[in-house]
Amino acid sequence: MMTPRLLTLLMATGLLCSTPLSASAIAVYSSSGSNAAAIQGSVAGFRADLLATGGRREINWDGVPANVSDPNSLPGDFFKSSRGAAFETPGTGFKVSANSGVGTPERFGSINPSFPSSFSVFSSQKLFTAIDSNIVDVKFFLPGTTQAANVRGFGSVFTDVDLLGPTTVEFFDMNNNLLSKQTVLNTPGATSLSFLGVSLEQAIINRVRITAGNAALSNLDGFDFVAMDDFIYGEPQAVPAPAAVLLLASGLAALVWARRNSLLPE
C-alpha cells in the first residue's frame, strides 16, 4: 500500500501529476515584391530577432563548390556538419544552381530554359531546389556532430511565387507535432521574391517542411514553379531529454531514496 509520505514524493517528482508546457508565442515575418528591396525589411527584422536570443546561422548557397552544383547534385547532408542543417525530400535529391559563365545555364536553366528569366536571387547568384519533388524537409543538428537539435526560428527566401496558397512552410517539434503552418505571400509576375520567417520564444523547432510551388521544377508549362534562396535559422541547440524519461528517472530516484530511508516495506 502506498504511504502518504511516498505519495507526496511521487507527486513532487511528477510521476502522478505534471504541468503541461505552455505554447510558445509565434512571431511571423512575411513579405513579397518585385525585387530584393521589397523583402529586405522583413529579412532584417527576422535576423535581428534570432540574433537577440541565441544567435543565428544562414545558408545562402553561393559558396557551394562547382562539383556539387548544377549539373551535379548536392548531398542532403552537405551542411550538416558546418551549419547544423540537413535536407530530405520525397524526390531524388537536391540541386544548387550554377554560377553564370561556367557552361551550365544559371538559375536552373538546365531544367527549363525559361527559369533564368523567371527566377531572381536575393543574394547572388545561386538558388536551391529539390529534384523530382517540390517538398524539402530541413532537420537540425548540433554543428560538427550527429546529435539532433532544435532551433528557435527558421526563414527562407523564395523566388517567383505566383499563386497564393501552394507555397507553405510547416514547423514541427521533436515529437512531430505541428507547431505552425504558414503560407508564403505571392507577387504575380516573373523574378519576384518572397520571404517567410517564423520565430518562437523557445527553441522547440526540430523539423521544417517547405512546399515550394505546386510542382517540382521541370521543363513543362502551366505550373507555379518556385525556387529557394537564403535559409536563415536560429543557432541549433541540443534537444532536451523527453519529459517522460526525466519524470521516470526522478521517480526512480525517489523510490530508491524512500527505500533507503525505510519509507517502503522490504
Short mmCIF file of all heavy atoms in Angstrom, two decimals, residues 77-145:
data_model
loop_
_atom_site.label_atom_id
_atom_site.label_comp_id
_atom_site.label_asym_id
_atom_site.label_seq_id
_atom_site.Cartn_x
_atom_site.Cartn_y
_atom_site.Cartn_z
N ASP A 77 23.25 16.05 -46.82
CA ASP A 77 23.95 16.33 -45.57
C ASP A 77 25.15 17.27 -45.76
O ASP A 77 26.01 17.34 -44.88
CB ASP A 77 24.41 15.03 -44.92
CG ASP A 77 25.39 14.23 -45.80
OD1 ASP A 77 25.65 14.65 -46.95
OD2 ASP A 77 25.89 13.19 -45.33
N PHE A 78 25.18 17.97 -46.88
CA PHE A 78 26.35 18.82 -47.19
C PHE A 78 26.60 19.85 -46.09
O PHE A 78 27.75 20.14 -45.75
CB PHE A 78 26.13 19.53 -48.53
CG PHE A 78 27.31 20.34 -48.99
CD1 PHE A 78 28.38 19.73 -49.64
CD2 PHE A 78 27.36 21.71 -48.78
CE1 PHE A 78 29.48 20.48 -50.06
CE2 PHE A 78 28.45 22.47 -49.20
CZ PHE A 78 29.51 21.84 -49.84
N PHE A 79 25.56 20.41 -45.50
CA PHE A 79 25.70 21.46 -44.48
C PHE A 79 25.48 20.93 -43.06
O PHE A 79 25.42 21.72 -42.12
CB PHE A 79 24.70 22.60 -44.74
CG PHE A 79 25.03 23.43 -45.95
CD1 PHE A 79 24.33 23.27 -47.14
CD2 PHE A 79 26.03 24.38 -45.91
CE1 PHE A 79 24.61 24.04 -48.25
CE2 PHE A 79 26.34 25.17 -47.01
CZ PHE A 79 25.62 24.99 -48.19
N LYS A 80 25.36 19.62 -42.90
CA LYS A 80 25.06 19.06 -41.59
C LYS A 80 26.14 19.36 -40.57
O LYS A 80 25.85 19.78 -39.44
CB LYS A 80 24.86 17.54 -41.72
CG LYS A 80 24.46 16.86 -40.42
CD LYS A 80 24.19 15.38 -40.65
CE LYS A 80 23.80 14.67 -39.38
NZ LYS A 80 23.51 13.23 -39.62
N SER A 81 27.39 19.17 -40.95
CA SER A 81 28.48 19.39 -40.01
C SER A 81 28.81 20.87 -39.83
O SER A 81 28.97 21.34 -38.70
CB SER A 81 29.73 18.63 -40.48
OG SER A 81 30.82 18.84 -39.60
N SER A 82 28.86 21.60 -40.92
CA SER A 82 29.30 23.00 -40.84
C SER A 82 28.23 23.96 -40.37
O SER A 82 28.51 24.93 -39.67
CB SER A 82 29.82 23.46 -42.21
OG SER A 82 28.79 23.39 -43.19
N ARG A 83 26.96 23.71 -40.74
CA ARG A 83 25.88 24.64 -40.41
C ARG A 83 24.78 24.02 -39.55
O ARG A 83 23.86 24.73 -39.14
CB ARG A 83 25.24 25.19 -41.70
CG ARG A 83 26.23 25.81 -42.68
CD ARG A 83 26.78 27.14 -42.24
NE ARG A 83 27.78 27.62 -43.16
CZ ARG A 83 27.52 28.34 -44.25
NH1 ARG A 83 26.27 28.66 -44.55
NH2 ARG A 83 28.50 28.76 -45.03
N GLY A 84 24.85 22.73 -39.31
CA GLY A 84 23.84 22.10 -38.46
C GLY A 84 22.48 21.94 -39.11
O GLY A 84 21.46 21.96 -38.43
N ALA A 85 22.44 21.77 -40.44
CA ALA A 85 21.18 21.57 -41.16
C ALA A 85 21.36 20.50 -42.21
O ALA A 85 22.37 20.47 -42.92
CB ALA A 85 20.71 22.87 -41.81
N ALA A 86 20.39 19.60 -42.31
CA ALA A 86 20.41 18.54 -43.31
C ALA A 86 19.04 18.49 -43.99
O ALA A 86 18.03 18.85 -43.39
CB ALA A 86 20.74 17.19 -42.68
N PHE A 87 19.03 18.02 -45.25
CA PHE A 87 17.82 18.07 -46.06
C PHE A 87 17.37 16.68 -46.48
O PHE A 87 18.20 15.82 -46.78
CB PHE A 87 18.06 18.93 -47.31
CG PHE A 87 18.76 20.23 -47.03
CD1 PHE A 87 19.90 20.59 -47.74
CD2 PHE A 87 18.31 21.08 -46.03
CE1 PHE A 87 20.56 21.78 -47.47
CE2 PHE A 87 18.95 22.27 -45.76
CZ PHE A 87 20.09 22.63 -46.47
N GLU A 88 16.06 16.49 -46.52
CA GLU A 88 15.45 15.27 -47.04
C GLU A 88 14.32 15.66 -47.98
O GLU A 88 13.76 16.76 -47.88
CB GLU A 88 14.93 14.40 -45.90
CG GLU A 88 16.01 13.89 -44.96
CD GLU A 88 15.44 13.03 -43.84
OE1 GLU A 88 14.20 12.89 -43.76
OE2 GLU A 88 16.24 12.51 -43.04
N THR A 89 13.97 14.77 -48.89
CA THR A 89 12.91 15.03 -49.85
C THR A 89 12.30 13.71 -50.31
O THR A 89 13.00 12.69 -50.37
CB THR A 89 13.42 15.81 -51.08
OG1 THR A 89 12.33 16.04 -51.98
CG2 THR A 89 14.53 15.06 -51.80
N PRO A 90 11.00 13.69 -50.65
CA PRO A 90 10.42 12.50 -51.29
C PRO A 90 10.94 12.31 -52.71
O PRO A 90 10.72 11.26 -53.31
CB PRO A 90 8.92 12.81 -51.30
CG PRO A 90 8.72 13.93 -50.35
CD PRO A 90 9.99 14.71 -50.36
N GLY A 91 11.62 13.33 -53.25
CA GLY A 91 12.16 13.26 -54.60
C GLY A 91 13.47 12.49 -54.65
O GLY A 91 13.76 11.65 -53.79
N THR A 92 14.28 12.81 -55.66
CA THR A 92 15.52 12.05 -55.89
C THR A 92 16.77 12.78 -55.43
O THR A 92 17.87 12.22 -55.56
CB THR A 92 15.64 11.73 -57.39
OG1 THR A 92 15.60 12.96 -58.14
CG2 THR A 92 14.51 10.83 -57.84
N GLY A 93 16.65 13.98 -54.89
CA GLY A 93 17.83 14.68 -54.43
C GLY A 93 17.65 16.19 -54.46
O GLY A 93 16.52 16.70 -54.45
N PHE A 94 18.79 16.89 -54.52
CA PHE A 94 18.78 18.35 -54.45
C PHE A 94 19.77 18.92 -55.45
O PHE A 94 20.75 18.27 -55.83
CB PHE A 94 19.17 18.83 -53.04
CG PHE A 94 18.33 18.23 -51.96
CD1 PHE A 94 18.75 17.11 -51.26
CD2 PHE A 94 17.10 18.78 -51.64
CE1 PHE A 94 17.97 16.54 -50.28
CE2 PHE A 94 16.31 18.23 -50.65
CZ PHE A 94 16.74 17.10 -49.97
N LYS A 95 19.52 20.16 -55.87
CA LYS A 95 20.45 20.87 -56.73
C LYS A 95 20.60 22.31 -56.28
O LYS A 95 19.64 22.93 -55.81
CB LYS A 95 20.00 20.83 -58.20
CG LYS A 95 20.41 19.57 -58.93
CD LYS A 95 20.20 19.69 -60.43
CE LYS A 95 20.70 18.42 -61.14
NZ LYS A 95 20.54 18.53 -62.61
N VAL A 96 21.81 22.81 -56.44
CA VAL A 96 22.11 24.24 -56.32
C VAL A 96 22.47 24.72 -57.71
O VAL A 96 23.24 24.07 -58.43
CB VAL A 96 23.27 24.47 -55.33
CG1 VAL A 96 23.75 25.91 -55.38
CG2 VAL A 96 22.84 24.11 -53.92
N SER A 97 21.91 25.83 -58.13
CA SER A 97 22.12 26.30 -59.50
C SER A 97 23.57 26.71 -59.74
O SER A 97 24.32 27.00 -58.81
CB SER A 97 21.19 27.47 -59.80
OG SER A 97 21.46 28.57 -58.95
N ALA A 98 23.95 26.73 -60.99
CA ALA A 98 25.32 27.06 -61.38
C ALA A 98 25.54 28.56 -61.42
O ALA A 98 24.60 29.35 -61.58
CB ALA A 98 25.62 26.46 -62.76
N ASN A 99 26.79 28.96 -61.27
CA ASN A 99 27.17 30.34 -61.50
C ASN A 99 27.10 30.66 -62.98
O ASN A 99 27.17 29.76 -63.84
CB ASN A 99 28.58 30.62 -60.99
CG ASN A 99 28.64 30.76 -59.48
OD1 ASN A 99 27.68 31.20 -58.85
ND2 ASN A 99 29.77 30.39 -58.90
N SER A 100 26.98 31.92 -63.31
CA SER A 100 26.98 32.31 -64.72
C SER A 100 28.38 32.12 -65.31
O SER A 100 29.39 32.20 -64.60
CB SER A 100 26.56 33.78 -64.85
OG SER A 100 27.45 34.63 -64.15
N GLY A 101 28.41 31.83 -66.59
CA GLY A 101 29.68 31.75 -67.31
C GLY A 101 30.47 30.48 -67.11
O GLY A 101 31.67 30.44 -67.40
N VAL A 102 29.82 29.40 -66.61
CA VAL A 102 30.56 28.15 -66.39
C VAL A 102 30.13 27.05 -67.35
O VAL A 102 30.60 25.92 -67.24
CB VAL A 102 30.38 27.66 -64.93
CG1 VAL A 102 30.93 28.68 -63.95
CG2 VAL A 102 28.92 27.35 -64.63
N GLY A 103 29.26 27.36 -68.29
CA GLY A 103 28.84 26.37 -69.27
C GLY A 103 27.49 25.76 -68.99
O GLY A 103 26.82 25.28 -69.90
N THR A 104 27.07 25.75 -67.71
CA THR A 104 25.74 25.30 -67.35
C THR A 104 24.86 26.52 -67.14
O THR A 104 25.26 27.45 -66.43
CB THR A 104 25.78 24.46 -66.05
OG1 THR A 104 26.61 23.32 -66.25
CG2 THR A 104 24.39 23.99 -65.65
N PRO A 105 23.66 26.56 -67.72
CA PRO A 105 22.81 27.74 -67.56
C PRO A 105 22.54 28.07 -66.10
O PRO A 105 22.32 27.17 -65.28
CB PRO A 105 21.52 27.34 -68.29
CG PRO A 105 21.95 26.30 -69.27
CD PRO A 105 23.04 25.54 -68.59
N GLU A 106 22.57 29.35 -65.76
CA GLU A 106 22.32 29.77 -64.38
C GLU A 106 20.83 29.66 -64.04
O GLU A 106 19.98 29.50 -64.91
CB GLU A 106 22.79 31.21 -64.18
CG GLU A 106 22.12 32.22 -65.08
CD GLU A 106 22.72 33.60 -64.97
OE1 GLU A 106 23.22 33.94 -63.90
OE2 GLU A 106 22.69 34.34 -65.97
N ARG A 107 20.55 29.73 -62.74
CA ARG A 107 19.18 29.73 -62.20
C ARG A 107 18.33 28.60 -62.80
O ARG A 107 17.17 28.80 -63.18
CB ARG A 107 18.52 31.10 -62.39
CG ARG A 107 19.26 32.21 -61.63
CD ARG A 107 18.45 33.49 -61.55
NE ARG A 107 18.23 34.12 -62.84
CZ ARG A 107 19.13 34.88 -63.48
NH1 ARG A 107 20.34 35.07 -62.94
NH2 ARG A 107 18.85 35.41 -64.64
N PHE A 108 18.92 27.42 -62.85
CA PHE A 108 18.24 26.18 -63.26
C PHE A 108 17.74 26.22 -64.71
O PHE A 108 16.76 25.55 -65.05
CB PHE A 108 17.10 25.84 -62.30
CG PHE A 108 17.55 25.60 -60.90
CD1 PHE A 108 17.03 26.35 -59.85
CD2 PHE A 108 18.52 24.65 -60.60
CE1 PHE A 108 17.46 26.15 -58.55
CE2 PHE A 108 18.97 24.44 -59.30
CZ PHE A 108 18.42 25.19 -58.27
N GLY A 109 18.45 26.95 -65.56
CA GLY A 109 18.15 26.91 -66.99
C GLY A 109 18.41 25.56 -67.60
O GLY A 109 17.91 25.26 -68.70
N SER A 110 19.16 24.71 -66.92
CA SER A 110 19.38 23.35 -67.39
C SER A 110 18.12 22.50 -67.28
O SER A 110 17.97 21.49 -67.98
CB SER A 110 20.52 22.70 -66.58
OG SER A 110 20.17 22.64 -65.20
N ILE A 111 17.20 22.88 -66.38
CA ILE A 111 15.95 22.16 -66.20
C ILE A 111 14.88 22.70 -67.15
O ILE A 111 14.15 21.94 -67.78
CB ILE A 111 15.48 22.25 -64.74
CG1 ILE A 111 16.51 21.63 -63.79
CG2 ILE A 111 14.12 21.56 -64.56
CD1 ILE A 111 16.18 21.80 -62.32
N ASN A 112 14.81 24.01 -67.21
CA ASN A 112 13.82 24.67 -68.06
C ASN A 112 14.43 25.98 -68.57
O ASN A 112 14.85 26.82 -67.75
CB ASN A 112 12.54 24.95 -67.26
CG ASN A 112 11.39 25.46 -68.10
OD1 ASN A 112 11.58 26.28 -69.00
ND2 ASN A 112 10.18 25.00 -67.80
N PRO A 113 14.53 26.17 -69.88
CA PRO A 113 15.21 27.36 -70.41
C PRO A 113 14.52 28.67 -70.04
O PRO A 113 15.13 29.74 -70.17
CB PRO A 113 15.18 27.14 -71.93
CG PRO A 113 14.13 26.12 -72.17
CD PRO A 113 14.09 25.26 -70.95
N SER A 114 13.29 28.59 -69.52
CA SER A 114 12.60 29.83 -69.11
C SER A 114 12.96 30.25 -67.69
O SER A 114 12.69 31.40 -67.29
CB SER A 114 11.08 29.64 -69.20
OG SER A 114 10.61 28.76 -68.20
N PHE A 115 13.56 29.35 -66.91
CA PHE A 115 13.81 29.67 -65.50
C PHE A 115 14.76 30.86 -65.27
O PHE A 115 14.53 31.65 -64.35
CB PHE A 115 14.32 28.43 -64.76
CG PHE A 115 13.25 27.40 -64.48
CD1 PHE A 115 13.59 26.11 -64.13
CD2 PHE A 115 11.90 27.72 -64.58
CE1 PHE A 115 12.61 25.15 -63.87
CE2 PHE A 115 10.91 26.78 -64.32
CZ PHE A 115 11.27 25.49 -63.96
N PRO A 116 15.83 31.03 -66.05
CA PRO A 116 16.69 32.19 -65.80
C PRO A 116 15.96 33.53 -65.90
O PRO A 116 16.35 34.50 -65.23
CB PRO A 116 17.78 32.06 -66.87
CG PRO A 116 17.86 30.58 -67.13
CD PRO A 116 16.44 30.11 -67.04
N SER A 117 14.92 33.60 -66.72
CA SER A 117 14.16 34.84 -66.84
C SER A 117 12.96 34.87 -65.89
O SER A 117 12.31 35.91 -65.75
CB SER A 117 13.68 35.04 -68.28
OG SER A 117 12.88 33.96 -68.70
N SER A 118 12.68 33.75 -65.21
CA SER A 118 11.57 33.69 -64.24
C SER A 118 12.05 33.85 -62.81
O SER A 118 11.36 34.44 -61.97
CB SER A 118 10.82 32.35 -64.37
OG SER A 118 10.24 32.20 -65.64
N PHE A 119 13.22 33.30 -62.52
CA PHE A 119 13.74 33.32 -61.16
C PHE A 119 14.69 34.50 -60.96
O PHE A 119 15.41 34.90 -61.87
CB PHE A 119 14.50 32.02 -60.85
CG PHE A 119 13.63 30.80 -60.82
CD1 PHE A 119 14.17 29.54 -61.09
CD2 PHE A 119 12.28 30.88 -60.53
CE1 PHE A 119 13.38 28.41 -61.06
CE2 PHE A 119 11.47 29.74 -60.49
CZ PHE A 119 12.03 28.50 -60.75
N SER A 120 14.69 35.00 -59.73
CA SER A 120 15.63 36.04 -59.33
C SER A 120 16.40 35.54 -58.11
O SER A 120 16.13 34.45 -57.60
CB SER A 120 14.88 37.34 -59.00
OG SER A 120 15.78 38.38 -58.70
N VAL A 121 17.34 36.34 -57.62
CA VAL A 121 18.11 35.96 -56.44
C VAL A 121 18.08 37.08 -55.42
O VAL A 121 17.99 38.26 -55.78
CB VAL A 121 19.58 35.62 -56.79
CG1 VAL A 121 19.66 34.38 -57.65
CG2 VAL A 121 20.27 36.79 -57.46
N PHE A 122 18.13 36.69 -54.15
CA PHE A 122 18.25 37.68 -53.07
C PHE A 122 19.71 37.95 -52.77
O PHE A 122 20.11 39.10 -52.58
CB PHE A 122 17.52 37.16 -51.83
CG PHE A 122 17.55 38.12 -50.67
CD1 PHE A 122 16.78 39.27 -50.70
CD2 PHE A 122 18.33 37.86 -49.56
CE1 PHE A 122 16.79 40.17 -49.63
CE2 PHE A 122 18.35 38.74 -48.48
CZ PHE A 122 17.58 39.89 -48.52
N SER A 123 20.50 36.89 -52.70
CA SER A 123 21.96 37.02 -52.56
C SER A 123 22.57 36.30 -53.76
O SER A 123 22.34 35.11 -53.95
CB SER A 123 22.44 36.41 -51.24
OG SER A 123 22.13 35.04 -51.17
N SER A 124 23.29 37.02 -54.57
CA SER A 124 23.82 36.45 -55.82
C SER A 124 24.77 35.30 -55.53
O SER A 124 25.56 35.36 -54.59
CB SER A 124 24.54 37.53 -56.61
OG SER A 124 23.62 38.53 -57.02
N GLN A 125 24.81 34.25 -56.40
CA GLN A 125 23.90 34.19 -57.52
C GLN A 125 23.23 32.84 -57.66
O GLN A 125 22.61 32.52 -58.66
CB GLN A 125 24.66 34.55 -58.81
CG GLN A 125 25.90 33.70 -59.04
CD GLN A 125 26.69 34.09 -60.28
OE1 GLN A 125 26.19 33.91 -61.38
NE2 GLN A 125 27.87 34.62 -60.07
N LYS A 126 23.34 32.01 -56.60
CA LYS A 126 22.84 30.63 -56.68
C LYS A 126 21.50 30.47 -55.97
O LYS A 126 21.18 31.18 -55.01
CB LYS A 126 23.86 29.66 -56.09
CG LYS A 126 25.16 29.56 -56.91
CD LYS A 126 26.06 28.47 -56.37
CE LYS A 126 27.26 28.25 -57.29
NZ LYS A 126 28.09 27.11 -56.86
N LEU A 127 20.74 29.47 -56.44
CA LEU A 127 19.46 29.09 -55.86
C LEU A 127 19.47 27.61 -55.48
O LEU A 127 20.38 26.87 -55.86
CB LEU A 127 18.32 29.36 -56.86
CG LEU A 127 18.10 30.81 -57.28
CD1 LEU A 127 17.11 30.89 -58.44
CD2 LEU A 127 17.63 31.66 -56.11
N PHE A 128 18.42 27.16 -54.79
CA PHE A 128 18.33 25.80 -54.27
C PHE A 128 16.97 25.20 -54.61
O PHE A 128 15.95 25.90 -54.63
CB PHE A 128 18.52 25.82 -52.75
CG PHE A 128 18.27 24.51 -52.05
CD1 PHE A 128 19.18 23.48 -52.13
CD2 PHE A 128 17.12 24.33 -51.29
CE1 PHE A 128 18.95 22.27 -51.48
CE2 PHE A 128 16.88 23.14 -50.63
CZ PHE A 128 17.81 22.10 -50.72
N THR A 129 16.94 23.89 -54.89
CA THR A 129 15.69 23.20 -55.13
C THR A 129 15.83 21.72 -54.83
O THR A 129 16.95 21.17 -54.85
CB THR A 129 15.22 23.37 -56.59
OG1 THR A 129 13.90 22.83 -56.73
CG2 THR A 129 16.14 22.65 -57.56
N ALA A 130 14.70 21.06 -54.56
CA ALA A 130 14.66 19.61 -54.58
C ALA A 130 14.47 19.16 -56.02
O ALA A 130 14.02 19.92 -56.88
CB ALA A 130 13.51 19.09 -53.72
N ILE A 131 14.83 17.92 -56.30
CA ILE A 131 14.67 17.35 -57.65
C ILE A 131 13.57 16.29 -57.61
O ILE A 131 13.53 15.45 -56.71
CB ILE A 131 16.00 16.73 -58.13
CG1 ILE A 131 17.09 17.81 -58.19
CG2 ILE A 131 15.83 16.07 -59.49
CD1 ILE A 131 16.78 18.95 -59.14
N ASP A 132 12.67 16.36 -58.60
CA ASP A 132 11.55 15.42 -58.72
C ASP A 132 10.58 15.51 -57.55
O ASP A 132 9.84 14.56 -57.26
CB ASP A 132 12.04 13.97 -58.89
CG ASP A 132 12.84 13.79 -60.17
OD1 ASP A 132 12.45 14.38 -61.19
OD2 ASP A 132 13.85 13.07 -60.14
N SER A 133 10.58 16.62 -56.86
CA SER A 133 9.61 16.90 -55.80
C SER A 133 9.66 18.40 -55.50
O SER A 133 10.69 19.06 -55.75
CB SER A 133 9.94 16.12 -54.52
OG SER A 133 9.05 16.49 -53.47
N ASN A 134 8.58 18.93 -54.98
CA ASN A 134 8.58 20.33 -54.53
C ASN A 134 8.61 20.42 -53.01
O ASN A 134 8.34 21.48 -52.44
CB ASN A 134 7.35 21.07 -55.07
CG ASN A 134 6.04 20.49 -54.57
OD1 ASN A 134 5.96 19.31 -54.23
ND2 ASN A 134 5.00 21.31 -54.52
N ILE A 135 8.97 19.32 -52.35
CA ILE A 135 9.00 19.27 -50.88
C ILE A 135 10.43 19.10 -50.38
O ILE A 135 11.19 18.25 -50.87
CB ILE A 135 8.13 18.11 -50.36
CG1 ILE A 135 6.66 18.39 -50.66
CG2 ILE A 135 8.33 17.91 -48.86
CD1 ILE A 135 5.73 17.25 -50.31
N VAL A 136 10.80 19.92 -49.39
CA VAL A 136 12.09 19.82 -48.71
C VAL A 136 11.85 19.79 -47.21
O VAL A 136 11.15 20.66 -46.67
CB VAL A 136 13.01 21.02 -49.04
CG1 VAL A 136 14.30 20.94 -48.23
CG2 VAL A 136 13.31 21.07 -50.53
N ASP A 137 12.38 18.78 -46.55
CA ASP A 137 12.39 18.73 -45.08
C ASP A 137 13.76 19.17 -44.59
O ASP A 137 14.78 18.63 -45.04
CB ASP A 137 12.09 17.32 -44.57
CG ASP A 137 10.62 16.95 -44.69
OD1 ASP A 137 9.78 17.83 -44.44
OD2 ASP A 137 10.32 15.80 -45.05
N VAL A 138 13.77 20.13 -43.66
CA VAL A 138 15.01 20.61 -43.06
C VAL A 138 15.06 20.11 -41.63
O VAL A 138 14.14 20.37 -40.84
CB VAL A 138 15.09 22.15 -43.08
CG1 VAL A 138 16.44 22.62 -42.54
CG2 VAL A 138 14.86 22.69 -44.49
N LYS A 139 16.12 19.36 -41.30
CA LYS A 139 16.32 18.88 -39.94
C LYS A 139 17.58 19.51 -39.37
O LYS A 139 18.52 19.80 -40.11
CB LYS A 139 16.42 17.34 -39.93
CG LYS A 139 15.13 16.66 -40.35
CD LYS A 139 15.24 15.14 -40.24
CE LYS A 139 13.92 14.47 -40.58
NZ LYS A 139 14.01 12.99 -40.47
N PHE A 140 17.61 19.68 -38.05
CA PHE A 140 18.69 20.43 -37.42
C PHE A 140 19.54 19.54 -36.52
O PHE A 140 19.04 18.60 -35.89
CB PHE A 140 18.10 21.60 -36.63
CG PHE A 140 17.25 22.50 -37.48
CD1 PHE A 140 15.86 22.41 -37.46
CD2 PHE A 140 17.83 23.41 -38.35
CE1 PHE A 140 15.08 23.21 -38.26
CE2 PHE A 140 17.06 24.22 -39.16
CZ PHE A 140 15.68 24.12 -39.11
N PHE A 141 20.84 19.88 -36.46
CA PHE A 141 21.81 19.12 -35.68
C PHE A 141 22.78 20.09 -35.02
O PHE A 141 22.99 21.21 -35.52
CB PHE A 141 22.59 18.15 -36.58
CG PHE A 141 21.72 17.11 -37.24
CD1 PHE A 141 21.04 17.39 -38.42
CD2 PHE A 141 21.55 15.86 -36.66
CE1 PHE A 141 20.22 16.45 -39.03
CE2 PHE A 141 20.73 14.91 -37.26
CZ PHE A 141 20.07 15.21 -38.44
N LEU A 142 23.38 19.65 -33.91
CA LEU A 142 24.47 20.44 -33.35
C LEU A 142 25.62 20.40 -34.35
O LEU A 142 26.08 19.32 -34.73
CB LEU A 142 24.91 19.87 -32.01
CG LEU A 142 23.92 19.98 -30.85
CD1 LEU A 142 24.52 19.39 -29.58
CD2 LEU A 142 23.50 21.42 -30.63
N PRO A 143 26.09 21.56 -34.81
CA PRO A 143 27.15 21.57 -35.83
C PRO A 143 28.36 20.75 -35.40
O PRO A 143 28.79 20.79 -34.25
CB PRO A 143 27.49 23.06 -35.95
CG PRO A 143 26.22 23.75 -35.58
CD PRO A 143 25.62 22.91 -34.48
N GLY A 144 28.87 19.96 -36.34
CA GLY A 144 30.03 19.13 -36.07
C GLY A 144 29.71 17.81 -35.40
O GLY A 144 30.62 17.04 -35.08
N THR A 145 28.42 17.52 -35.19
CA THR A 145 28.01 16.27 -34.54
C THR A 145 26.86 15.65 -35.33
O THR A 145 26.36 16.22 -36.29
CB THR A 145 27.55 16.52 -33.09
OG1 THR A 145 26.22 17.08 -33.10
CG2 THR A 145 28.49 17.46 -32.36
#
